[in-house]
Amino acid sequence: MAPEERSLQSEAESLCATALWCYARGWVPATSGNFSARAGERILITPSGLDKGTLQPADLLEVDDEGSVVAGSGRPSAEIALHLLLYRARPQADAILHVHSVWNTLISRYYAAQGHVPLEGYEILKGLSGVTTHAYLERVPVLENTQDYAILSAQLADALAQNPAAHGVLLSRHGLYTWGQSVAEARRHLEALEFLFEVEMRRLFSQEANMPDFLP
Ligand SMILES: [Zn+2]
């Protein structure tokens, strides 16, 4: 379905189903995480502080491209600035998913000093759009976390400009942002990246534990 044919209602249902799916995996604990979908000039986004395990389409806020609420009650997540920036920097993106999983929290900390997480040689990289072979290096930028959203926005804008092929961005000890041309595509990117984060961290743990026969 072309993006312009997707209605706000169907995107709302898709977003809520995805939020429940993330909650069931433990990726949005304690009301964390936020999700949005864009249809034309309107954006649907999760309100601040809502339990993602009970999210319903009626809970979503409708905002314009400046972030002003045009429908719904409550206030948008504090991280709405990052969603708006991402939509501007990635015009093809019509959905953004942000989760706080155990594995993305660990791997973003591990690679914070390096500034990006390298993911290379895995078959599931083909779950990322445009990637057609396992022989591919995905670099996921890692930004330093801060509660100052002006600083975070500047860091994110820089990372997106420097990494045009990236499918996601990590905030150190915080979480992952990923996006797609639809909620379904963003969800596939999320599932592929979280799978890869877990594989990489388990590989690093095995090295730390001196299990040389386990993995090279
Ligand atoms: Zn967050």
Side-chain angles (χ1 to χ4, degrees):
M1 191 188 298
E4 62 272 15
E5 292 170 4
R6 285 196 298 268
S7 69
L8 277 177
Q9 184 57 32
S10 70
E11 288 300 90
E13 286 165 7
S14 192
L15 209 53
C16 289
T18 296
L20 297 182
W21 176 80
C22 289
Y23 183 81
R25 280 158 182 73
W27 294 351
V28 283
T31 77
S32 67
N34 39 73
F35 306 90
S36 73
R38 173 165 66 174
E41 295 176 347
R42 291 286 186 254
I43 295 166
L44 290 171
I45 190 163
T46 45
S48 181
L50 205 85
D51 184 339
K52 304 306 181 296
T54 61
L55 191 68
Q56 302 287 324
D59 296 325
L60 295 170
L61 301 176
E62 192 178 327
V63 302
D64 63 18
D65 57 8
E66 300 292 325
S68 300
V69 177
V70 295
S73 55
R75 62 187 171 83
S77 158
E79 292 175 45
I80 190 173
L82 305 184
H83 287 246
L84 298 175
L85 191 154
L86 256 164
Y87 282 127
R88 281 195 282 271
R90 293 286 184 271
Q92 300 298 316
D94 274 334
I96 297 170
L97 307 176
H98 170 57
V99 301
H100 298 190
S101 73
V102 170
W103 294 111
N104 75 37
T105 300
L106 284 169
I107 205 164
S108 61
R109 175 177 181 166
Y110 190 89
Y111 282 103
Q114 188 169 317
H116 73 274
V117 176
L119 302 167
E120 186 172 23
Y122 293 109
E123 180 70 11
I124 208 161
L125 285 162
K126 289 159 61 183
L128 304 175
S129 20
V131 179
T132 56
T133 169
H134 66 283
Y136 178 81
L137 169 62
E138 173 80 10
R139 291 162 58 102
V140 184
V142 182
L143 312 183
E144 191 180 331
N145 193 36
T146 169
Q147 302 305 315
D148 184 328
Y149 286 94
I151 292 174
L152 212 46
S153 296
Q155 285 191 80
L156 178 61
D158 190 48
L160 292 170
Q162 306 274 332
N163 298 275
H167 293 80
V169 174
L170 285 159
L171 308 184
S172 180
R173 306 193 208 188
H174 175 161
L176 169 72
Y177 274 88
T178 187
W179 52 87
Q181 293 188 37
S182 62
V183 173
E185 186 179 87
R187 176 165 158 165
R188 197 182 72 234
H189 291 167
L190 175 61
E191 192 167 24
L193 289 170
E194 289 292 338
F195 176 94
L196 288 163
F197 295 155
E198 180 172 352
V199 167
E200 272 299 283
M201 280 314 297
R202 287 185 184 274
R203 183 181 69 80
L204 292 163
F205 285 150
S206 73
Q207 281 182 347
E208 292 295 321
N210 288 318
M211 298 166 68
D213 293 334
F214 180 57
L215 284 171

mmCIF file of all heavy atoms in Angstrom, residues 11 15 34-38 43-46 60-61 63 80 82-84 86-87 94-98 177-180 182-183 186:
data_model
loop_
_atom_site.group_PDB
_atom_site.id
_atom_site.type_symbol
_atom_site.label_atom_id
_atom_site.label_comp_id
_atom_site.label_asym_id
_atom_site.label_seq_id
_atom_site.Cartn_x
_atom_site.Cartn_y
_atom_site.Cartn_z
ATOM 1 N N GLU A 11 -2.913 3.149 10.568
ATOM 2 C CA GLU A 11 -1.588 3.302 11.161
ATOM 3 C C GLU A 11 -1.670 3.284 12.677
ATOM 4 O O GLU A 11 -0.781 2.759 13.347
ATOM 5 C CB GLU A 11 -0.933 4.613 10.680
ATOM 6 C CG GLU A 11 -0.500 4.570 9.235
ATOM 7 C CD GLU A 11 0.518 3.463 8.962
ATOM 8 O OE1 GLU A 11 0.079 2.342 8.635
ATOM 9 O OE2 GLU A 11 1.723 3.706 9.065
ATOM 10 N N LEU A 15 0.313 0.725 14.924
ATOM 11 C CA LEU A 15 1.242 1.239 15.941
ATOM 12 C C LEU A 15 0.944 0.618 17.311
ATOM 13 O O LEU A 15 1.865 0.223 18.037
ATOM 14 C CB LEU A 15 1.097 2.765 16.000
ATOM 15 C CG LEU A 15 2.297 3.597 16.422
ATOM 16 C CD1 LEU A 15 3.535 3.289 15.608
ATOM 17 C CD2 LEU A 15 1.953 5.083 16.301
ATOM 18 N N ASN A 34 8.718 5.142 22.987
ATOM 19 C CA ASN A 34 7.674 5.919 22.317
ATOM 20 C C ASN A 34 7.640 5.538 20.845
ATOM 21 O O ASN A 34 8.616 5.046 20.284
ATOM 22 C CB ASN A 34 7.849 7.432 22.538
ATOM 23 C CG ASN A 34 9.284 7.861 22.496
ATOM 24 O OD1 ASN A 34 9.881 7.898 21.438
ATOM 25 N ND2 ASN A 34 9.853 8.166 23.663
ATOM 26 N N PHE A 35 6.460 5.745 20.256
ATOM 27 C CA PHE A 35 6.197 5.280 18.893
ATOM 28 C C PHE A 35 5.431 6.355 18.142
ATOM 29 O O PHE A 35 4.600 7.035 18.726
ATOM 30 C CB PHE A 35 5.326 4.012 18.930
ATOM 31 C CG PHE A 35 5.886 2.908 19.785
ATOM 32 C CD1 PHE A 35 5.562 2.805 21.122
ATOM 33 C CD2 PHE A 35 6.759 1.981 19.241
ATOM 34 C CE1 PHE A 35 6.096 1.795 21.908
ATOM 35 C CE2 PHE A 35 7.296 0.963 20.014
ATOM 36 C CZ PHE A 35 6.964 0.870 21.347
ATOM 37 N N SER A 36 5.689 6.472 16.843
ATOM 38 C CA SER A 36 4.899 7.417 16.057
ATOM 39 C C SER A 36 4.761 6.910 14.626
ATOM 40 O O SER A 36 5.537 6.066 14.163
ATOM 41 C CB SER A 36 5.536 8.814 16.061
ATOM 42 O OG SER A 36 6.697 8.838 15.260
ATOM 43 N N ALA A 37 3.739 7.433 13.947
ATOM 44 C CA ALA A 37 3.514 7.137 12.529
ATOM 45 C C ALA A 37 3.042 8.421 11.869
ATOM 46 O O ALA A 37 2.325 9.221 12.477
ATOM 47 C CB ALA A 37 2.462 6.039 12.368
ATOM 48 N N ARG A 38 3.448 8.604 10.622
ATOM 49 C CA ARG A 38 3.095 9.824 9.897
ATOM 50 C C ARG A 38 2.192 9.464 8.724
ATOM 51 O O ARG A 38 2.438 8.496 8.007
ATOM 52 C CB ARG A 38 4.383 10.485 9.384
ATOM 53 C CG ARG A 38 4.159 11.660 8.470
ATOM 54 C CD ARG A 38 5.416 12.483 8.305
ATOM 55 N NE ARG A 38 6.490 11.763 7.612
ATOM 56 C CZ ARG A 38 7.636 12.325 7.264
ATOM 57 N NH1 ARG A 38 7.878 13.590 7.581
ATOM 58 N NH2 ARG A 38 8.574 11.628 6.645
ATOM 59 N N ILE A 43 0.973 13.514 12.382
ATOM 60 C CA ILE A 43 1.764 12.476 13.034
ATOM 61 C C ILE A 43 0.984 11.969 14.242
ATOM 62 O O ILE A 43 0.451 12.773 15.021
ATOM 63 C CB ILE A 43 3.128 13.043 13.489
ATOM 64 C CG1 ILE A 43 3.970 13.454 12.261
ATOM 65 C CG2 ILE A 43 3.887 12.025 14.333
ATOM 66 C CD1 ILE A 43 5.170 14.312 12.595
ATOM 67 N N LEU A 44 0.903 10.661 14.367
ATOM 68 C CA LEU A 44 0.328 10.044 15.566
ATOM 69 C C LEU A 44 1.486 9.651 16.467
ATOM 70 O O LEU A 44 2.455 9.045 15.999
ATOM 71 C CB LEU A 44 -0.464 8.791 15.200
ATOM 72 C CG LEU A 44 -1.760 8.999 14.442
ATOM 73 C CD1 LEU A 44 -2.302 7.662 13.972
ATOM 74 C CD2 LEU A 44 -2.782 9.701 15.337
ATOM 75 N N ILE A 45 1.382 9.986 17.762
ATOM 76 C CA ILE A 45 2.486 9.675 18.667
ATOM 77 C C ILE A 45 1.937 9.265 20.031
ATOM 78 O O ILE A 45 0.863 9.723 20.438
ATOM 79 C CB ILE A 45 3.469 10.875 18.775
ATOM 80 C CG1 ILE A 45 4.749 10.463 19.520
ATOM 81 C CG2 ILE A 45 2.805 12.088 19.433
ATOM 82 C CD1 ILE A 45 5.923 11.430 19.319
ATOM 83 N N THR A 46 2.696 8.408 20.703
ATOM 84 C CA THR A 46 2.275 7.960 22.034
ATOM 85 C C THR A 46 2.396 9.107 23.033
ATOM 86 O O THR A 46 3.350 9.883 22.971
ATOM 87 C CB THR A 46 3.153 6.783 22.497
ATOM 88 O OG1 THR A 46 4.531 7.091 22.222
ATOM 89 C CG2 THR A 46 2.791 5.508 21.782
ATOM 90 N N LEU A 60 -3.602 7.588 21.420
ATOM 91 C CA LEU A 60 -2.566 8.276 20.637
ATOM 92 C C LEU A 60 -2.909 9.742 20.428
ATOM 93 O O LEU A 60 -4.080 10.108 20.296
ATOM 94 C CB LEU A 60 -2.399 7.595 19.273
ATOM 95 C CG LEU A 60 -1.871 6.159 19.316
ATOM 96 C CD1 LEU A 60 -1.986 5.508 17.936
ATOM 97 C CD2 LEU A 60 -0.424 6.121 19.793
ATOM 98 N N LEU A 61 -1.889 10.567 20.403
ATOM 99 C CA LEU A 61 -2.074 11.992 20.125
ATOM 100 C C LEU A 61 -1.814 12.243 18.656
ATOM 101 O O LEU A 61 -0.934 11.618 18.049
ATOM 102 C CB LEU A 61 -1.076 12.822 20.933
ATOM 103 C CG LEU A 61 -1.130 12.689 22.446
ATOM 104 C CD1 LEU A 61 -0.011 13.518 23.071
ATOM 105 C CD2 LEU A 61 -2.488 13.160 22.950
ATOM 106 N N VAL A 63 -0.511 15.081 16.166
ATOM 107 C CA VAL A 63 0.213 16.356 16.201
ATOM 108 C C VAL A 63 0.525 16.802 14.772
ATOM 109 O O VAL A 63 0.517 15.989 13.840
ATOM 110 C CB VAL A 63 1.542 16.258 17.012
ATOM 111 C CG1 VAL A 63 1.280 15.799 18.440
ATOM 112 C CG2 VAL A 63 2.542 15.332 16.335
ATOM 113 N N ILE A 80 9.521 13.808 21.648
ATOM 114 C CA ILE A 80 8.872 14.141 20.370
ATOM 115 C C ILE A 80 9.809 14.953 19.469
ATOM 116 O O ILE A 80 9.759 14.840 18.244
ATOM 117 C CB ILE A 80 7.542 14.903 20.582
ATOM 118 C CG1 ILE A 80 6.797 15.013 19.245
ATOM 119 C CG2 ILE A 80 7.748 16.259 21.224
ATOM 120 C CD1 ILE A 80 5.403 15.581 19.351
ATOM 121 N N LEU A 82 12.832 14.502 18.913
ATOM 122 C CA LEU A 82 13.674 13.593 18.133
ATOM 123 C C LEU A 82 12.881 12.965 16.985
ATOM 124 O O LEU A 82 13.403 12.760 15.896
ATOM 125 C CB LEU A 82 14.273 12.516 19.044
ATOM 126 C CG LEU A 82 15.061 13.043 20.252
ATOM 127 C CD1 LEU A 82 15.679 11.886 21.022
ATOM 128 C CD2 LEU A 82 16.148 14.024 19.828
ATOM 129 N N HIS A 83 11.588 12.675 17.230
ATOM 130 C CA HIS A 83 10.739 12.139 16.161
ATOM 131 C C HIS A 83 10.601 13.169 15.030
ATOM 132 O O HIS A 83 10.726 12.838 13.855
ATOM 133 C CB HIS A 83 9.349 11.788 16.696
ATOM 134 C CG HIS A 83 9.323 10.564 17.561
ATOM 135 N ND1 HIS A 83 8.677 9.399 17.197
ATOM 136 C CD2 HIS A 83 9.885 10.315 18.764
ATOM 137 C CE1 HIS A 83 8.824 8.489 18.152
ATOM 138 N NE2 HIS A 83 9.539 9.027 19.118
ATOM 139 N N LEU A 84 10.322 14.427 15.403
ATOM 140 C CA LEU A 84 10.126 15.470 14.388
ATOM 141 C C LEU A 84 11.393 15.674 13.566
ATOM 142 O O LEU A 84 11.349 15.807 12.342
ATOM 143 C CB LEU A 84 9.703 16.788 15.055
ATOM 144 C CG LEU A 84 8.371 16.742 15.814
ATOM 145 C CD1 LEU A 84 8.126 18.067 16.524
ATOM 146 C CD2 LEU A 84 7.209 16.414 14.877
ATOM 147 N N LEU A 86 13.764 13.439 13.094
ATOM 148 C CA LEU A 86 13.957 12.251 12.250
ATOM 149 C C LEU A 86 13.086 12.305 10.999
ATOM 150 O O LEU A 86 13.549 11.988 9.894
ATOM 151 C CB LEU A 86 13.613 11.006 13.060
ATOM 152 C CG LEU A 86 14.793 10.179 13.563
ATOM 153 C CD1 LEU A 86 14.357 9.229 14.664
ATOM 154 C CD2 LEU A 86 15.426 9.398 12.425
ATOM 155 N N TYR A 87 11.817 12.710 11.153
ATOM 156 C CA TYR A 87 10.929 12.793 9.982
ATOM 157 C C TYR A 87 11.444 13.814 8.966
ATOM 158 O O TYR A 87 11.311 13.625 7.761
ATOM 159 C CB TYR A 87 9.503 13.134 10.407
ATOM 160 C CG TYR A 87 8.727 11.965 10.985
ATOM 161 C CD1 TYR A 87 8.100 12.062 12.212
ATOM 162 C CD2 TYR A 87 8.627 10.762 10.275
ATOM 163 C CE1 TYR A 87 7.378 10.999 12.744
ATOM 164 C CE2 TYR A 87 7.918 9.689 10.798
ATOM 165 C CZ TYR A 87 7.291 9.812 12.028
ATOM 166 O OH TYR A 87 6.596 8.750 12.542
ATOM 167 N N ASP A 94 7.937 6.948 7.511
ATOM 168 C CA ASP A 94 6.592 7.279 7.970
ATOM 169 C C ASP A 94 6.259 6.597 9.289
ATOM 170 O O ASP A 94 5.099 6.600 9.715
ATOM 171 C CB ASP A 94 5.555 6.918 6.893
ATOM 172 C CG ASP A 94 5.391 8.068 5.885
ATOM 173 O OD1 ASP A 94 5.651 9.228 6.250
ATOM 174 O OD2 ASP A 94 5.021 7.795 4.737
ATOM 175 N N ALA A 95 7.252 5.983 9.928
ATOM 176 C CA ALA A 95 7.040 5.386 11.259
ATOM 177 C C ALA A 95 8.366 5.365 11.998
ATOM 178 O O ALA A 95 9.418 5.135 11.395
ATOM 179 C CB ALA A 95 6.489 3.970 11.125
ATOM 180 N N ILE A 96 8.292 5.631 13.300
ATOM 181 C CA ILE A 96 9.490 5.634 14.150
ATOM 182 C C ILE A 96 9.179 4.845 15.418
ATOM 183 O O ILE A 96 8.131 5.065 16.049
ATOM 184 C CB ILE A 96 9.904 7.080 14.528
ATOM 185 C CG1 ILE A 96 10.287 7.873 13.266
ATOM 186 C CG2 ILE A 96 11.072 7.066 15.521
ATOM 187 C CD1 ILE A 96 10.469 9.360 13.507
ATOM 188 N N LEU A 97 10.080 3.940 15.773
ATOM 189 C CA LEU A 97 9.908 3.133 16.983
ATOM 190 C C LEU A 97 11.121 3.353 17.881
ATOM 191 O O LEU A 97 12.256 3.336 17.411
ATOM 192 C CB LEU A 97 9.800 1.641 16.616
ATOM 193 C CG LEU A 97 8.734 1.280 15.566
ATOM 194 C CD1 LEU A 97 8.809 -0.210 15.235
ATOM 195 C CD2 LEU A 97 7.332 1.656 16.056
ATOM 196 N N HIS A 98 10.860 3.554 19.168
ATOM 197 C CA HIS A 98 11.942 3.786 20.136
ATOM 198 C C HIS A 98 11.727 2.875 21.329
ATOM 199 O O HIS A 98 10.685 2.952 21.994
ATOM 200 C CB HIS A 98 11.929 5.253 20.565
ATOM 201 C CG HIS A 98 12.832 5.543 21.722
ATOM 202 N ND1 HIS A 98 14.186 5.273 21.704
ATOM 203 C CD2 HIS A 98 12.578 6.080 22.947
ATOM 204 C CE1 HIS A 98 14.719 5.634 22.866
ATOM 205 N NE2 HIS A 98 13.761 6.117 23.633
ATOM 206 N N TYR A 177 16.506 4.092 18.447
ATOM 207 C CA TYR A 177 15.522 4.652 17.515
ATOM 208 C C TYR A 177 15.708 3.953 16.179
ATOM 209 O O TYR A 177 16.825 3.854 15.681
ATOM 210 C CB TYR A 177 15.750 6.158 17.294
ATOM 211 C CG TYR A 177 15.077 7.012 18.324
ATOM 212 C CD1 TYR A 177 15.727 7.332 19.505
ATOM 213 C CD2 TYR A 177 13.775 7.465 18.137
ATOM 214 C CE1 TYR A 177 15.094 8.097 20.476
ATOM 215 C CE2 TYR A 177 13.140 8.220 19.088
ATOM 216 C CZ TYR A 177 13.804 8.531 20.251
ATOM 217 O OH TYR A 177 13.177 9.282 21.203
ATOM 218 N N THR A 178 14.607 3.457 15.599
ATOM 219 C CA THR A 178 14.654 2.953 14.241
ATOM 220 C C THR A 178 13.404 3.413 13.522
ATOM 221 O O THR A 178 12.446 3.878 14.160
ATOM 222 C CB THR A 178 14.822 1.414 14.208
ATOM 223 O OG1 THR A 178 15.030 0.989 12.859
ATOM 224 C CG2 THR A 178 13.621 0.695 14.785
ATOM 225 N N TRP A 179 13.395 3.322 12.212
ATOM 226 C CA TRP A 179 12.300 3.901 11.438
ATOM 227 C C TRP A 179 12.086 3.081 10.169
ATOM 228 O O TRP A 179 12.885 2.189 9.840
ATOM 229 C CB TRP A 179 12.627 5.356 11.071
ATOM 230 C CG TRP A 179 13.964 5.506 10.419
ATOM 231 C CD1 TRP A 179 14.266 5.392 9.095
ATOM 232 C CD2 TRP A 179 15.222 5.743 11.092
ATOM 233 N NE1 TRP A 179 15.611 5.552 8.903
ATOM 234 C CE2 TRP A 179 16.228 5.767 10.099
ATOM 235 C CE3 TRP A 179 15.590 5.943 12.426
ATOM 236 C CZ2 TRP A 179 17.577 5.980 10.398
ATOM 237 C CZ3 TRP A 179 16.935 6.147 12.724
ATOM 238 C CH2 TRP A 179 17.911 6.175 11.723
ATOM 239 N N GLY A 180 11.011 3.400 9.443
ATOM 240 C CA GLY A 180 10.736 2.707 8.189
ATOM 241 C C GLY A 180 9.675 3.455 7.409
ATOM 242 O O GLY A 180 9.087 4.426 7.902
ATOM 243 N N SER A 182 6.862 2.370 6.704
ATOM 244 C CA SER A 182 5.562 2.017 7.283
ATOM 245 C C SER A 182 5.848 1.466 8.674
ATOM 246 O O SER A 182 7.010 1.186 9.016
ATOM 247 C CB SER A 182 4.891 0.930 6.439
ATOM 248 O OG SER A 182 5.713 -0.232 6.446
ATOM 249 N N VAL A 183 4.799 1.292 9.468
ATOM 250 C CA VAL A 183 4.982 0.693 10.795
ATOM 251 C C VAL A 183 5.564 -0.725 10.622
ATOM 252 O O VAL A 183 6.461 -1.129 11.355
ATOM 253 C CB VAL A 183 3.651 0.645 11.569
ATOM 254 C CG1 VAL A 183 3.811 -0.126 12.873
ATOM 255 C CG2 VAL A 183 3.150 2.070 11.854
ATOM 256 N N ALA A 186 9.311 -0.499 9.869
ATOM 257 C CA ALA A 186 10.047 -0.085 11.069
ATOM 258 C C ALA A 186 10.126 -1.249 12.060
ATOM 259 O O ALA A 186 11.154 -1.462 12.708
ATOM 260 C CB ALA A 186 9.360 1.122 11.705
#
